[in-house]
Amino acid sequence: MNRIKNVRASVSALILAVLVAMPLGILAQTRVVAPKNSYSVSDDVKLGRQAAMDAERQLPMVNDYEVQDYINRLGRRLVEAIPREFQHPEFQYSFKVVNARDINAFALPGGFTYVNRGLIEVARNEGELAGVMAHELSHVALRHGTAQATKARPYAVGSVLGQILGAVVGGGLGQVIGATSQIVPGVFVLKYSREYERQADTLGAQIMARAGYDPRDLANMFRTIEQQSGSGGPEWLSSHPNPGNRYEAIIREAQMLRVENPVRDSYDFNRVRARLRDMGRAPSMEEIGRSGQRYPTSTGRTPTGRVEYPSTRYRNFNGNLFEIAVPDNWRNLSGGSEVTFAPEGAYGDYQGRSVITHGAMVGVTSATSRDLRRATDDFIRSLAQGNTQLRQSTGYRYENVGNRNGLSTVLTNISEVTGRTEVIQIFTAMLRNGEMFYLIGVAPQDEYRTYQNTFFNMARSVRFFD
């Protein structure tokens, strides 16, 4: 009998020792449970990717490497802090900055995340910015978009795409984007419930603490957002209703999440804010919505043709279906299903159209055939419809495109901007979903050898997310 008592005492002492050794926050923090969801994780990715493409056709992106690099690093830090039970390896987290002055941010199912320039500019420190991003990532990790859409059954996956995008973006522009998604509107309209908002506040605070930020900064940022509510309120509030006592609830959670020496400010945060201020006034979401304009926007200038050679240093660009390395002295000029990269002096307008003299266009298009050669033939014929001087000068070669069996070929054309002969290098590869990836490299004929290795390096660097 005494032996049994001794064993029980030893086990109790062991448990107590383990509990004492654990951080207080792990014991005390509020437990969050993901809601019921009848959609698959792959549905989240599918819906989010399509919605992201639609959003980027309507929204102007901040095409600045330093700004983009900063927001991507901050986003990745927060993603790594998402608790293991809410990690979904299939998700394709990406982070981009919208050139709009409204205080707004939204994250689509699958991890496609957008932060308005206005949010960065109004945040008083990096912790406040990280707080809103952590809140948005919590909606993604808990799969709130498709969980809310689950209530709309029996609608199919495609039938809720417009509602998801329109509601998550919020406000008038959200309605515009949702309406252009080619989705028949249903009676169900997605809007985050107050319960989902409460969950995102709680998990967002926990993610912040795990990433080294003070959750009180999230509470302070919400107060700032509410103070900006003047005429109609920030777009963010239209899809993120206050669950009640929001500030107080986050402060209570923060008291259970002890963070020593939290990150509040950083040199990079202040540098990016200063860089954004130097870009001049950003349009409002209302102005963007009224314009009805699809992006990328024109630059209002003609290419000069005087450009730097491609840098031998590369940076990664994260698209919705792929990642690719590009020279770090090239700008990305558009988003969505196609992105253009070009150095200063090589891009601009000509007769009302956006053109480049040096650089590359990368994207995904519907394949006309499962046979790559046949699909590439049709793709080149479609290019020739708008370029009557386009001629194929070599046959096809098998190439490594993102570690897949791809094709490459060389064409020539007469540049309508310079009147010079230009060389066009095309790479293609099939995606598992039946679409075709393409990379189109462009350079004047007498400079082509300088750019050839760059085009091949880009093709080999591709990482697909299909």
Side-chain angles (χ1 to χ4, degrees):
M1 196 70 175
N2 289 334
R3 181 179 298 175
I4 294 175
K5 288 181 178 179
N6 291 337
V7 170
R8 287 176 176 169
S10 298
V11 171
S12 298
L14 178 60
I15 293 174
L16 179 60
V18 171
L19 293 177
V20 170
M22 291 176 68
L24 179 60
I26 294 177
L27 291 172
Q29 68 184 23
T30 303
R31 183 168 179 260
V32 179
V33 179
K36 180 182 177 181
N37 197 319
S38 60
Y39 290 84
S40 69
V41 172
S42 62
D43 285 336
D44 280 59
V45 177
K46 179 180 177 180
L47 285 165
R49 181 189 299 131
Q50 183 58 57
M53 288 181 180
D54 288 341
E56 291 182 30
R57 291 188 186 106
Q58 301 292 330
L59 299 173
M61 298 293 118
V62 173
N63 296 315
D64 181 277
Y65 172 66
E66 286 192 30
V67 174
Q68 178 58 41
D69 179 64
Y70 168 73
I71 208 71
N72 189 59
R73 285 187 286 109
L74 178 55
R76 294 293 169 186
R77 176 173 182 166
L78 294 169
V79 168
E80 291 174 2
I82 296 173
R84 183 176 300 176
E85 64 266 33
F86 304 125
Q87 291 276 2
H88 303 288
E90 303 92 335
F91 280 6
Q92 299 167 11
Y93 288 100
S94 62
F95 303 89
K96 298 181 181 180
V97 179
V98 180
N99 190 36
R101 71 169 181 265
D102 303 65
I103 303 172
N104 198 12
F106 63 95
L108 299 167
F112 308 92
T113 307
Y114 299 84
V115 177
N116 272 19
R117 176 178 158 186
L119 179 66
I120 301 174
E121 291 176 331
V122 79
R124 289 172 292 187
N125 56 51
E126 183 172 289
E128 292 190 351
L129 173 60
V132 176
M133 292 176 67
H135 176 99
E136 294 296 337
L137 290 174
S138 296
H139 283 304
V140 174
L142 294 168
R143 304 183 58 213
H144 280 163
T146 48
Q148 189 77 4
T150 294
K151 302 174 184 178
R153 290 291 195 179
Y155 296 122
V157 170
S159 67
V160 297
L161 174 60
Q163 289 101 351
I164 285 178
L165 180 58
V168 171
V169 174
L173 184 59
Q175 296 170 10
V176 172
I177 296 175
T180 61
S181 298
Q182 298 181 344
I183 301 299
V184 178
V187 296
F188 175 78
V189 177
L190 175 68
K191 182 176 181 179
Y192 286 135
S193 68
R194 284 178 169 78
E195 175 58 29
Y196 288 178
E197 282 302 295
R198 187 176 294 106
Q199 284 192 332
D201 287 351
T202 302
L203 183 59
Q206 294 171 8
I207 290 172
M208 287 185 72
R210 291 165 64 98
Y213 295 95
D214 187 344
R216 293 175 181 83
D217 284 331
L218 174 58
N220 292 333
M221 189 61 181
F222 282 145
R223 278 200 164 171
T224 298
I225 291 173
E226 290 174 351
Q227 288 167 0
Q228 300 285 331
S229 59
S231 56
E235 296 260 9
W236 192 87
L237 293 176
S238 66
S239 57
H240 296 75
N242 190 329
N245 300 316
R246 170 171 258 159
Y247 179 87
E248 294 78 8
I250 296 173
I251 293 298
R252 284 196 302 270
E253 190 71 22
Q255 290 170 350
M256 296 186 286
L257 301 167
R258 296 182 177 177
V259 183
E260 294 184 5
N261 301 317
V263 177
R264 282 200 167 86
D265 228 342
S266 73
Y267 169 78
D268 287 342
F269 171 77
N270 292 320
R271 183 185 64 185
V272 163
R273 281 188 23 136
R275 194 172 182 87
L276 290 172
R277 282 195 297 268
D278 290 341
M279 292 180 185
R281 176 186 177 276
S284 68
M285 282 289 202
E286 183 180 358
E287 291 169 340
I288 296 167
R290 279 203 312 266
S291 72
Q293 190 169 14
R294 293 170 68 86
Y295 290 85
T297 59
S298 60
T299 62
R301 58 188 176 190
T302 302
T304 65
R306 297 185 296 275
V307 302
E308 294 181 353
Y309 289 134
S311 173
T312 56
R313 296 177 57 187
Y314 288 77
R315 59 182 171 86
N316 285 334
F317 172 84
N318 294 302
N320 296 329
L321 285 170
F322 57 85
E323 179 181 85
I324 188 169
V326 298
D328 68 3
N329 64 338
W330 287 11
R331 293 189 61 185
N332 50 304
L333 305 174
S334 57
S337 58
E338 180 179 274
V339 60
T340 299
F341 303 100
E344 290 290 341
Y347 57 87
D349 293 342
Y350 183 78
Q351 295 183 353
R353 293 184 294 109
S354 297
V355 295
I356 62 170
T357 58
H358 307 65
M361 291 165 282
V362 184
V364 173
T365 187
S366 298
T368 57
S369 169
R370 295 294 296 182
D371 180 84
L372 180 59
R373 181 162 185 159
R374 187 175 302 170
T376 305
D377 280 338
D378 291 339
F379 179 65
I380 292 175
R381 276 194 286 271
S382 70
L383 295 178
Q385 291 177 1
N387 298 273
T388 58
Q389 307 268 8
L390 194 67
R391 300 289 185 273
Q392 190 166 351
S393 59
T394 69
Y396 291 113
R397 289 180 52 181
Y398 290 101
E399 296 291 349
N400 173 5
V401 179
N403 290 321
R404 295 188 184 178
N405 294 324
L407 292 176
S408 76
T409 187
V410 174
L411 299 86
T412 59
N413 188 40
I414 304 298
S415 170
E416 58 186 346
V417 179
T418 65
R420 300 160 61 191
T421 300
E422 60 186 4
V423 175
I424 300 171
Q425 179 99 42
I426 293 181
F427 299 85
T428 57
M430 293 298 294
L431 302 184
R432 295 188 181 93
N433 62 6
E435 295 179 304
M436 187 176 73
F437 168 85
Y438 62 87
L439 185 158
I440 306 172
V442 180
Q445 187 175 47
D446 56 358
E447 300 178 53
Y448 170 66
R449 289 191 177 182
T450 303
Y451 285 79
Q452 186 177 21
N453 285 339
T454 299
F455 298 149
F456 275 89
N457 289 340
M458 291 176 67
R460 292 165 186 157
S461 76
V462 176
R463 186 164 67 94
F464 293 110
F465 300 142
D466 60 335

